[in-house]
Every structure is written in structure tokens, then in C-alpha cells.
Amino acid sequence: MKDQIEGAAKQAKGAVKEAAGKVTDNKKLQAEGKMDKAEGKIQGEVGKAKDKARDAVR
């Protein structure tokens, strides 16, 4: 659950960065935002997998 929450937060942070980059025409900030969103999505998926594995063991 922790990874899912942190992943969602990272995705939100990335979306804000990406939007700010678009508004200011800052390509570096846009790229950082996209990377943060991707990392957040991966972290969320890892969290889901951990939860499923934990539930399967119980």
C-alpha cells in the first residue's frame, strides 16, 4: 500500500512539473515531469504486485 501511495504522489508531482514546463516552455522541466510520472506509475505497479504476493501467502 505504501508504494502505491508514494507512486501516486510521484505521478501527481510529475504532472505538475510537466504542466509547469509546458507553460514556461521549459523542455527540461517537462522531461523531468514525464520521468517522475513514469517512476510513479512503476512504483505503484510494484506496490500492487507486493500486495498481491502478500495476500497470496496469507
Side-chain angles (χ1 to χ4, degrees):
M1 181 65 104
K2 178 183 171 194
D3 284 319
Q4 290 175 348
I5 293 168
E6 289 177 3
K10 237 181 221 181
Q11 282 182 309
K13 178 180 143 187
V16 170
K17 269 187 174 179
E18 186 178 6
K22 284 181 183 177
V23 169
T24 60
D25 198 33
N26 184 330
K27 301 295 183 196
K28 182 180 177 196
L29 191 58
Q30 277 182 285
E32 287 176 11
K34 287 181 181 182
M35 287 299 297
D36 286 346
K37 284 174 35 178
E39 287 175 14
K41 186 170 184 167
I42 291 167
Q43 187 173 7
E45 293 301 318
V46 167
K48 286 179 189 176
K50 282 182 181 179
D51 288 347
K52 284 182 182 180
R54 193 174 310 123
D55 289 346
V57 171
R58 289 183 191 175

